[in-house]
Amino acid sequence: MAEIIQKDGTWAFDGDALRLTPGRDRNTGPLRAELGELVVPLGALAGVSFEQGRRAGRLRLRLRAGADPLLQATAGRLTDPQDPYQLTVESDRYGVAEYFAEEVRGALLLDSVSPGPVDEYLLPGPAVPLSASAGDGTASFDGERVLLEWNWKTEDAKAAGGPRTIPLTEISGVQWQPAAGLENGHLRFTVRGAPVTTPPKFDPHAVELWGFKKDPLMALVAAAVQARLPHPSAPADGTDLEPERVPLAKAAAAEDTHDALLRRLRELGELRRDGVLTEDEFAMAKQAVLKRM
């Protein structure tokens, strides 16, 4: 197992998944602290990098597009302190960080993990129920409905309608936008049959954000809802299959996967015979394939 322990957090890799535990450092953002430990399957990764700095370096994970509902909902707008896929590394641990990155890269290569996008979420998203308060309201989600409640700072035109309950079945999209410069941010839910025509400060389906410390926690609500919506890249194929054909389709897919794993085992054996893989590397890769079978 490869492991690196820093004030910023602890990352561990067992060949199949990465376990990311946030640190207790005062610079750890509230979103990372609230998320807690994350388990990222190897198949969700597109790559890993380590960047050295004069005083500190940074380990970065790059996830495959569409693998994580948090990244889908925030669309690359998370700052470094809030990003759970970054780890600050002290200069005396650069060697450990480089070794960690090489171990992950080697596993990605041995498992032939594609860096391309996926059409289903490979991480579950934040657990529910959850609630966050920031800006002009509180957003809560219990897995079936979103509840938006207003505070004394809410515009009268929006608060006049009272708390807003939005069933998940009526939500077609979710967006989290942090405040930037003089522009306020927002958490907005797109509701079927209700086109967006007003700014977030007047929109009863949005919470306006002003750039305060707790704003990133609204991203957790956005991610929890995103994880339970249809994946934006999910193929339409198979959705209209006749009921009796669905088990047959699943069986065919399972057979194709099994054949691919057998081919991978043969390829690994050839790489070992040719001296490309050591015995230890072959054993680790073989074990990973057998687990999938």
Side-chain angles (χ1 to χ4, degrees):
M1 174 184 287
E3 183 178 58
I4 180 168
I5 302 173
Q6 294 290 276
K7 292 179 181 178
D8 197 28
T10 299
W11 285 13
F13 177 56
D14 64 3
D16 292 322
L18 293 99
R19 193 173 297 273
L20 316 179
T21 306
R24 297 181 180 180
D25 186 75
R26 61 184 177 86
N27 293 323
T28 301
L31 185 146
R32 287 181 64 192
E34 190 68 25
L35 266 178
E37 185 178 83
L38 288 178
V39 177
V40 184
L42 183 65
L45 287 183
V48 58
S49 64
F50 174 60
E51 306 156 5
Q52 292 189 17
R54 184 172 297 179
R55 295 186 178 180
R58 194 173 297 275
L59 267 172
R60 297 179 189 268
L61 296 181
R62 184 165 55 90
L63 270 63
R64 299 171 68 185
D68 181 18
L70 174 63
L71 298 185
Q72 186 73 34
T74 55
R77 301 185 184 101
L78 290 175
T79 60
D80 288 354
Q82 311 298 340
D83 189 343
Y85 303 115
Q86 297 188 31
L87 182 71
T88 301
V89 179
E90 298 168 8
S91 58
D92 62 345
R93 306 299 288 171
Y94 281 1
V96 178
E98 290 172 344
Y99 169 75
F100 187 94
E102 285 301 321
E103 286 291 295
V104 176
R105 291 192 196 102
L108 289 170
L109 180 62
L110 289 173
D111 277 24
S112 299
V113 176
S114 168
V118 296
D119 57 13
E120 63 177 343
Y121 293 121
L122 302 180
L123 282 87
V128 294
L130 79 165
S131 181
S133 297
D136 67 351
T138 297
S140 305
F141 181 54
D142 63 4
E144 296 182 358
R145 61 189 63 81
V146 171
L147 173 64
L148 301 180
E149 300 174 282
W150 316 118
N151 57 36
W152 64 273
K153 295 168 283 190
T154 309
E155 289 288 332
D156 291 342
K158 184 159 71 172
R164 177 73 55 154
T165 300
I166 315 172
L168 182 64
T169 53
E170 295 182 7
I171 297 174
S172 59
V174 58
Q175 181 186 52
W176 175 79
Q177 173 74 54
L182 299 177
E183 295 293 328
N184 291 337
H186 61 266
L187 169 65
R188 192 199 299 267
F189 299 95
T190 306
V191 178
R192 293 183 178 87
V196 177
T197 58
T198 59
K201 67 185 301 182
F202 300 113
D203 187 349
H205 300 130
V207 176
E208 188 178 35
L209 305 175
W210 300 321
F212 296 149
K213 184 177 180 179
K214 291 187 177 181
D215 280 11
L217 295 179
M218 284 292 184
L220 295 179
V221 180
V225 174
Q226 185 75 56
R228 290 160 178 82
L229 295 176
H231 193 282
S233 300
D237 297 348
T239 55
D240 297 324
L241 286 178
E242 298 175 8
E244 63 272 14
R245 291 177 59 194
V246 172
L248 295 176
K250 290 183 177 180
E255 185 175 351
D256 289 344
T257 301
H258 187 268
D259 289 344
L261 292 173
L262 288 176
R263 287 195 299 272
R264 184 59 181 158
L265 282 176
R266 288 194 291 269
E267 291 171 359
L268 291 172
E270 292 171 0
L271 291 173
R272 180 185 60 173
R273 286 193 298 272
D274 293 342
V276 177
L277 296 179
T278 66
E279 288 295 331
D280 289 343
E281 290 171 337
F282 171 75
M284 183 178 69
K286 177 182 176 183
Q287 186 63 29
V289 173
L290 292 177
K291 284 182 179 179
R292 287 178 172 80
M293 295 179 69

mmCIF file of all heavy atoms in Angstrom, residues 102-144:
data_model
loop_
_atom_site.group_PDB
_atom_site.id
_atom_site.type_symbol
_atom_site.label_atom_id
_atom_site.label_comp_id
_atom_site.label_asym_id
_atom_site.label_seq_id
_atom_site.Cartn_x
_atom_site.Cartn_y
_atom_site.Cartn_z
ATOM 1 N N GLU A 102 3.629 7.686 -8.782
ATOM 2 C CA GLU A 102 4.077 6.618 -9.677
ATOM 3 C C GLU A 102 3.299 5.330 -9.445
ATOM 4 O O GLU A 102 2.988 4.600 -10.397
ATOM 5 C CB GLU A 102 5.575 6.373 -9.494
ATOM 6 C CG GLU A 102 6.460 7.435 -10.119
ATOM 7 C CD GLU A 102 6.232 7.566 -11.616
ATOM 8 O OE1 GLU A 102 6.036 6.537 -12.292
ATOM 9 O OE2 GLU A 102 6.214 8.704 -12.120
ATOM 10 N N GLU A 103 2.988 5.030 -8.193
ATOM 11 C CA GLU A 103 2.199 3.832 -7.891
ATOM 12 C C GLU A 103 0.814 3.917 -8.533
ATOM 13 O O GLU A 103 0.318 2.937 -9.101
ATOM 14 C CB GLU A 103 2.060 3.666 -6.371
ATOM 15 C CG GLU A 103 3.320 3.190 -5.679
ATOM 16 C CD GLU A 103 3.647 1.747 -6.049
ATOM 17 O OE1 GLU A 103 2.861 0.856 -5.695
ATOM 18 O OE2 GLU A 103 4.684 1.515 -6.693
ATOM 19 N N VAL A 104 0.189 5.077 -8.447
ATOM 20 C CA VAL A 104 -1.146 5.245 -9.046
ATOM 21 C C VAL A 104 -1.046 5.169 -10.565
ATOM 22 O O VAL A 104 -1.864 4.504 -11.223
ATOM 23 C CB VAL A 104 -1.773 6.578 -8.601
ATOM 24 C CG1 VAL A 104 -3.119 6.790 -9.301
ATOM 25 C CG2 VAL A 104 -1.979 6.597 -7.086
ATOM 26 N N ARG A 105 -0.050 5.810 -11.151
ATOM 27 C CA ARG A 105 0.112 5.755 -12.606
ATOM 28 C C ARG A 105 0.347 4.325 -13.078
ATOM 29 O O ARG A 105 -0.195 3.901 -14.108
ATOM 30 C CB ARG A 105 1.290 6.638 -13.039
ATOM 31 C CG ARG A 105 1.065 8.121 -12.879
ATOM 32 C CD ARG A 105 2.145 8.899 -13.608
ATOM 33 N NE ARG A 105 2.172 10.294 -13.172
ATOM 34 C CZ ARG A 105 3.057 10.801 -12.323
ATOM 35 N NH1 ARG A 105 4.028 10.037 -11.847
ATOM 36 N NH2 ARG A 105 3.006 12.074 -11.981
ATOM 37 N N GLY A 106 1.165 3.587 -12.333
ATOM 38 C CA GLY A 106 1.423 2.201 -12.705
ATOM 39 C C GLY A 106 0.164 1.357 -12.686
ATOM 40 O O GLY A 106 -0.064 0.524 -13.580
ATOM 41 N N ALA A 107 -0.679 1.567 -11.673
ATOM 42 C CA ALA A 107 -1.934 0.802 -11.587
ATOM 43 C C ALA A 107 -2.873 1.173 -12.725
ATOM 44 O O ALA A 107 -3.555 0.306 -13.290
ATOM 45 C CB ALA A 107 -2.598 1.056 -10.235
ATOM 46 N N LEU A 108 -2.931 2.456 -13.080
ATOM 47 C CA LEU A 108 -3.777 2.873 -14.201
ATOM 48 C C LEU A 108 -3.317 2.217 -15.497
ATOM 49 O O LEU A 108 -4.140 1.795 -16.326
ATOM 50 C CB LEU A 108 -3.735 4.399 -14.351
ATOM 51 C CG LEU A 108 -4.454 5.214 -13.275
ATOM 52 C CD1 LEU A 108 -4.122 6.694 -13.423
ATOM 53 C CD2 LEU A 108 -5.958 5.006 -13.350
ATOM 54 N N LEU A 109 -1.997 2.110 -15.668
ATOM 55 C CA LEU A 109 -1.449 1.487 -16.868
ATOM 56 C C LEU A 109 -1.726 -0.009 -16.890
ATOM 57 O O LEU A 109 -2.175 -0.558 -17.911
ATOM 58 C CB LEU A 109 0.055 1.751 -16.936
ATOM 59 C CG LEU A 109 0.800 1.165 -18.133
ATOM 60 C CD1 LEU A 109 0.274 1.768 -19.433
ATOM 61 C CD2 LEU A 109 2.297 1.395 -18.011
ATOM 62 N N LEU A 110 -1.496 -0.685 -15.772
ATOM 63 C CA LEU A 110 -1.694 -2.129 -15.709
ATOM 64 C C LEU A 110 -3.157 -2.511 -15.905
ATOM 65 O O LEU A 110 -3.468 -3.540 -16.504
ATOM 66 C CB LEU A 110 -1.190 -2.679 -14.379
ATOM 67 C CG LEU A 110 0.337 -2.691 -14.185
ATOM 68 C CD1 LEU A 110 0.684 -3.092 -12.778
ATOM 69 C CD2 LEU A 110 0.993 -3.614 -15.189
ATOM 70 N N ASP A 111 -4.055 -1.677 -15.382
ATOM 71 C CA ASP A 111 -5.482 -1.974 -15.508
ATOM 72 C C ASP A 111 -6.084 -1.414 -16.792
ATOM 73 O O ASP A 111 -7.282 -1.552 -17.021
ATOM 74 C CB ASP A 111 -6.245 -1.412 -14.304
ATOM 75 C CG ASP A 111 -6.198 -2.344 -13.104
ATOM 76 O OD1 ASP A 111 -5.253 -3.141 -13.033
ATOM 77 O OD2 ASP A 111 -7.103 -2.291 -12.256
ATOM 78 N N SER A 112 -5.257 -0.768 -17.608
ATOM 79 C CA SER A 112 -5.727 -0.182 -18.876
ATOM 80 C C SER A 112 -6.943 0.712 -18.669
ATOM 81 O O SER A 112 -7.940 0.633 -19.401
ATOM 82 C CB SER A 112 -6.061 -1.291 -19.884
ATOM 83 O OG SER A 112 -4.931 -2.073 -20.170
ATOM 84 N N VAL A 113 -6.893 1.558 -17.640
ATOM 85 C CA VAL A 113 -8.009 2.458 -17.344
ATOM 86 C C VAL A 113 -8.017 3.586 -18.373
ATOM 87 O O VAL A 113 -7.023 4.297 -18.540
ATOM 88 C CB VAL A 113 -7.894 3.048 -15.920
ATOM 89 C CG1 VAL A 113 -9.015 4.056 -15.665
ATOM 90 C CG2 VAL A 113 -7.943 1.934 -14.887
ATOM 91 N N SER A 114 -9.134 3.747 -19.034
ATOM 92 C CA SER A 114 -9.266 4.821 -20.016
ATOM 93 C C SER A 114 -9.409 6.164 -19.309
ATOM 94 O O SER A 114 -10.124 6.272 -18.315
ATOM 95 C CB SER A 114 -10.491 4.584 -20.896
ATOM 96 O OG SER A 114 -10.787 5.744 -21.667
ATOM 97 N N PRO A 115 -8.726 7.209 -19.797
ATOM 98 C CA PRO A 115 -8.897 8.535 -19.197
ATOM 99 C C PRO A 115 -10.124 9.273 -19.713
ATOM 100 O O PRO A 115 -10.394 10.402 -19.312
ATOM 101 C CB PRO A 115 -7.614 9.260 -19.621
ATOM 102 C CG PRO A 115 -7.275 8.643 -20.942
ATOM 103 C CD PRO A 115 -7.686 7.193 -20.837
ATOM 104 N N GLY A 116 -10.867 8.640 -20.606
ATOM 105 C CA GLY A 116 -12.010 9.298 -21.231
ATOM 106 C C GLY A 116 -13.208 9.441 -20.313
ATOM 107 O O GLY A 116 -13.239 8.924 -19.195
ATOM 108 N N PRO A 117 -14.226 10.169 -20.771
ATOM 109 C CA PRO A 117 -15.423 10.403 -19.961
ATOM 110 C C PRO A 117 -16.225 9.131 -19.735
ATOM 111 O O PRO A 117 -16.068 8.137 -20.450
ATOM 112 C CB PRO A 117 -16.207 11.423 -20.787
ATOM 113 C CG PRO A 117 -15.733 11.217 -22.197
ATOM 114 C CD PRO A 117 -14.294 10.835 -22.091
ATOM 115 N N VAL A 118 -17.096 9.169 -18.729
ATOM 116 C CA VAL A 118 -17.956 8.039 -18.404
ATOM 117 C C VAL A 118 -19.416 8.479 -18.516
ATOM 118 O O VAL A 118 -19.715 9.676 -18.496
ATOM 119 C CB VAL A 118 -17.674 7.501 -16.985
ATOM 120 C CG1 VAL A 118 -16.266 6.949 -16.896
ATOM 121 C CG2 VAL A 118 -17.877 8.594 -15.935
ATOM 122 N N ASP A 119 -20.312 7.500 -18.623
ATOM 123 C CA ASP A 119 -21.732 7.831 -18.738
ATOM 124 C C ASP A 119 -22.532 7.413 -17.506
ATOM 125 O O ASP A 119 -23.744 7.263 -17.556
ATOM 126 C CB ASP A 119 -22.333 7.210 -20.000
ATOM 127 C CG ASP A 119 -22.163 5.705 -20.039
ATOM 128 O OD1 ASP A 119 -21.800 5.109 -19.001
ATOM 129 O OD2 ASP A 119 -22.388 5.109 -21.106
ATOM 130 N N GLU A 120 -21.819 7.245 -16.373
ATOM 131 C CA GLU A 120 -22.487 7.004 -15.098
ATOM 132 C C GLU A 120 -21.569 7.483 -13.982
ATOM 133 O O GLU A 120 -20.345 7.533 -14.145
ATOM 134 C CB GLU A 120 -22.795 5.516 -14.909
ATOM 135 C CG GLU A 120 -21.564 4.631 -14.856
ATOM 136 C CD GLU A 120 -21.905 3.181 -14.605
ATOM 137 O OE1 GLU A 120 -23.037 2.909 -14.166
ATOM 138 O OE2 GLU A 120 -21.046 2.317 -14.838
ATOM 139 N N TYR A 121 -22.164 7.872 -12.861
ATOM 140 C CA TYR A 121 -21.352 8.344 -11.745
ATOM 141 C C TYR A 121 -20.649 7.166 -11.079
ATOM 142 O O TYR A 121 -21.274 6.140 -10.789
ATOM 143 C CB TYR A 121 -22.221 9.081 -10.731
ATOM 144 C CG TYR A 121 -22.775 10.379 -11.256
ATOM 145 C CD1 TYR A 121 -24.155 10.615 -11.314
ATOM 146 C CD2 TYR A 121 -21.918 11.377 -11.713
ATOM 147 C CE1 TYR A 121 -24.654 11.809 -11.815
ATOM 148 C CE2 TYR A 121 -22.411 12.567 -12.218
ATOM 149 C CZ TYR A 121 -23.787 12.779 -12.262
ATOM 150 O OH TYR A 121 -24.272 13.967 -12.763
ATOM 151 N N LEU A 122 -19.352 7.323 -10.827
ATOM 152 C CA LEU A 122 -18.560 6.281 -10.189
ATOM 153 C C LEU A 122 -18.320 6.578 -8.712
ATOM 154 O O LEU A 122 -17.745 5.757 -8.009
ATOM 155 C CB LEU A 122 -17.218 6.124 -10.913
ATOM 156 C CG LEU A 122 -17.324 5.798 -12.407
ATOM 157 C CD1 LEU A 122 -15.943 5.655 -13.033
ATOM 158 C CD2 LEU A 122 -18.140 4.527 -12.627
ATOM 159 N N LEU A 123 -18.751 7.760 -8.250
ATOM 160 C CA LEU A 123 -18.746 8.105 -6.840
ATOM 161 C C LEU A 123 -20.181 8.423 -6.433
ATOM 162 O O LEU A 123 -20.961 8.936 -7.254
ATOM 163 C CB LEU A 123 -17.842 9.304 -6.559
ATOM 164 C CG LEU A 123 -16.344 8.997 -6.513
ATOM 165 C CD1 LEU A 123 -15.727 9.060 -7.901
ATOM 166 C CD2 LEU A 123 -15.618 9.954 -5.587
ATOM 167 N N PRO A 124 -20.558 8.151 -5.178
ATOM 168 C CA PRO A 124 -21.963 8.249 -4.791
ATOM 169 C C PRO A 124 -22.466 9.649 -4.516
ATOM 170 O O PRO A 124 -23.662 9.888 -4.496
ATOM 171 C CB PRO A 124 -22.015 7.413 -3.509
ATOM 172 C CG PRO A 124 -20.646 7.542 -2.925
ATOM 173 C CD PRO A 124 -19.712 7.581 -4.107
ATOM 174 N N GLY A 125 -21.604 10.607 -4.292
ATOM 175 C CA GLY A 125 -22.064 11.928 -3.892
ATOM 176 C C GLY A 125 -22.303 11.981 -2.389
ATOM 177 O O GLY A 125 -22.294 10.959 -1.705
ATOM 178 N N PRO A 126 -22.510 13.176 -1.829
ATOM 179 C CA PRO A 126 -22.707 13.331 -0.382
ATOM 180 C C PRO A 126 -23.921 12.560 0.120
ATOM 181 O O PRO A 126 -24.921 12.398 -0.586
ATOM 182 C CB PRO A 126 -22.906 14.842 -0.209
ATOM 183 C CG PRO A 126 -22.284 15.453 -1.428
ATOM 184 C CD PRO A 126 -22.513 14.469 -2.533
ATOM 185 N N ALA A 127 -23.823 12.090 1.359
ATOM 186 C CA ALA A 127 -24.933 11.368 1.979
ATOM 187 C C ALA A 127 -26.056 12.335 2.337
ATOM 188 O O ALA A 127 -25.834 13.514 2.595
ATOM 189 C CB ALA A 127 -24.454 10.632 3.231
ATOM 190 N N VAL A 128 -27.272 11.835 2.327
ATOM 191 C CA VAL A 128 -28.440 12.623 2.719
ATOM 192 C C VAL A 128 -29.069 11.976 3.960
ATOM 193 O O VAL A 128 -28.867 10.790 4.211
ATOM 194 C CB VAL A 128 -29.468 12.691 1.558
ATOM 195 C CG1 VAL A 128 -28.883 13.468 0.392
ATOM 196 C CG2 VAL A 128 -29.880 11.303 1.082
ATOM 197 N N PRO A 129 -29.848 12.763 4.729
ATOM 198 C CA PRO A 129 -30.208 14.172 4.514
ATOM 199 C C PRO A 129 -29.068 15.106 4.853
ATOM 200 O O PRO A 129 -28.197 14.776 5.647
ATOM 201 C CB PRO A 129 -31.393 14.357 5.461
ATOM 202 C CG PRO A 129 -31.120 13.395 6.584
ATOM 203 C CD PRO A 129 -30.480 12.196 5.944
ATOM 204 N N LEU A 130 -29.093 16.292 4.248
ATOM 205 C CA LEU A 130 -28.110 17.312 4.567
ATOM 206 C C LEU A 130 -28.727 18.676 4.370
ATOM 207 O O LEU A 130 -29.735 18.832 3.669
ATOM 208 C CB LEU A 130 -26.833 17.156 3.748
ATOM 209 C CG LEU A 130 -26.819 17.664 2.304
ATOM 210 C CD1 LEU A 130 -25.388 17.753 1.810
ATOM 211 C CD2 LEU A 130 -27.603 16.710 1.403
ATOM 212 N N SER A 131 -28.115 19.668 5.009
ATOM 213 C CA SER A 131 -28.644 21.029 4.965
ATOM 214 C C SER A 131 -27.483 22.009 5.055
ATOM 215 O O SER A 131 -26.467 21.729 5.694
ATOM 216 C CB SER A 131 -29.629 21.247 6.125
ATOM 217 O OG SER A 131 -30.164 22.549 6.098
ATOM 218 N N ALA A 132 -27.608 23.145 4.385
ATOM 219 C CA ALA A 132 -26.582 24.181 4.423
ATOM 220 C C ALA A 132 -27.245 25.544 4.425
ATOM 221 O O ALA A 132 -28.244 25.767 3.723
ATOM 222 C CB ALA A 132 -25.643 24.049 3.228
ATOM 223 N N SER A 133 -26.685 26.439 5.229
ATOM 224 C CA SER A 133 -27.199 27.809 5.312
ATOM 225 C C SER A 133 -26.118 28.782 4.865
ATOM 226 O O SER A 133 -24.984 28.711 5.338
ATOM 227 C CB SER A 133 -27.625 28.139 6.744
ATOM 228 O OG SER A 133 -28.690 27.308 7.163
ATOM 229 N N ALA A 134 -26.474 29.671 3.959
ATOM 230 C CA ALA A 134 -25.538 30.689 3.475
ATOM 231 C C ALA A 134 -26.335 31.718 2.686
ATOM 232 O O ALA A 134 -27.466 31.435 2.247
ATOM 233 C CB ALA A 134 -24.445 30.076 2.615
ATOM 234 N N GLY A 135 -25.763 32.887 2.507
ATOM 235 C CA GLY A 135 -26.438 33.894 1.695
ATOM 236 C C GLY A 135 -27.816 34.234 2.213
ATOM 237 O O GLY A 135 -28.000 34.533 3.390
ATOM 238 N N ASP A 136 -28.820 34.170 1.340
ATOM 239 C CA ASP A 136 -30.165 34.593 1.737
ATOM 240 C C ASP A 136 -31.094 33.434 2.092
ATOM 241 O O ASP A 136 -32.311 33.616 2.137
ATOM 242 C CB ASP A 136 -30.801 35.447 0.629
ATOM 243 C CG ASP A 136 -31.090 34.666 -0.647
ATOM 244 O OD1 ASP A 136 -30.654 33.496 -0.746
ATOM 245 O OD2 ASP A 136 -31.741 35.216 -1.559
ATOM 246 N N GLY A 137 -30.530 32.221 2.340
ATOM 247 C CA GLY A 137 -31.435 31.133 2.705
ATOM 248 C C GLY A 137 -30.727 29.863 3.136
ATOM 249 O O GLY A 137 -29.499 29.797 3.241
ATOM 250 N N THR A 138 -31.549 28.849 3.370
ATOM 251 C CA THR A 138 -31.077 27.514 3.752
ATOM 252 C C THR A 138 -31.610 26.517 2.742
ATOM 253 O O THR A 138 -32.803 26.545 2.394
ATOM 254 C CB THR A 138 -31.578 27.140 5.158
ATOM 255 O OG1 THR A 138 -31.041 28.058 6.114
ATOM 256 C CG2 THR A 138 -31.149 25.728 5.534
ATOM 257 N N ALA A 139 -30.741 25.632 2.260
ATOM 258 C CA ALA A 139 -31.132 24.583 1.318
ATOM 259 C C ALA A 139 -30.970 23.233 2.000
ATOM 260 O O ALA A 139 -29.903 22.936 2.545
ATOM 261 C CB ALA A 139 -30.281 24.645 0.052
ATOM 262 N N SER A 140 -32.029 22.421 1.977
ATOM 263 C CA SER A 140 -31.999 21.086 2.574
ATOM 264 C C SER A 140 -32.447 20.077 1.531
ATOM 265 O O SER A 140 -33.266 20.373 0.659
ATOM 266 C CB SER A 140 -32.931 21.021 3.794
ATOM 267 O OG SER A 140 -32.621 22.032 4.734
ATOM 268 N N PHE A 141 -31.908 18.850 1.636
ATOM 269 C CA PHE A 141 -32.264 17.785 0.690
ATOM 270 C C PHE A 141 -32.304 16.462 1.433
ATOM 271 O O PHE A 141 -31.354 16.112 2.138
ATOM 272 C CB PHE A 141 -31.240 17.729 -0.450
ATOM 273 C CG PHE A 141 -31.526 16.675 -1.481
ATOM 274 C CD1 PHE A 141 -32.754 16.622 -2.123
ATOM 275 C CD2 PHE A 141 -30.560 15.733 -1.822
ATOM 276 C CE1 PHE A 141 -33.018 15.650 -3.079
ATOM 277 C CE2 PHE A 141 -30.804 14.764 -2.772
ATOM 278 C CZ PHE A 141 -32.040 14.724 -3.405
ATOM 279 N N ASP A 142 -33.420 15.736 1.288
ATOM 280 C CA ASP A 142 -33.577 14.461 1.997
ATOM 281 C C ASP A 142 -33.516 13.252 1.072
ATOM 282 O O ASP A 142 -33.786 12.130 1.485
ATOM 283 C CB ASP A 142 -34.903 14.440 2.770
ATOM 284 C CG ASP A 142 -36.126 14.543 1.857
ATOM 285 O OD1 ASP A 142 -35.957 14.561 0.615
ATOM 286 O OD2 ASP A 142 -37.258 14.602 2.381
ATOM 287 N N GLY A 143 -33.140 13.468 -0.188
ATOM 288 C CA GLY A 143 -33.071 12.384 -1.157
ATOM 289 C C GLY A 143 -34.275 12.350 -2.084
ATOM 290 O O GLY A 143 -34.214 11.747 -3.154
ATOM 291 N N GLU A 144 -35.365 13.013 -1.692
ATOM 292 C CA GLU A 144 -36.578 13.022 -2.511
ATOM 293 C C GLU A 144 -37.053 14.421 -2.844
ATOM 294 O O GLU A 144 -37.731 14.633 -3.847
ATOM 295 C CB GLU A 144 -37.705 12.260 -1.799
ATOM 296 C CG GLU A 144 -37.404 10.773 -1.608
ATOM 297 C CD GLU A 144 -38.549 10.040 -0.945
ATOM 298 O OE1 GLU A 144 -39.559 10.715 -0.605
ATOM 299 O OE2 GLU A 144 -38.460 8.819 -0.782
#
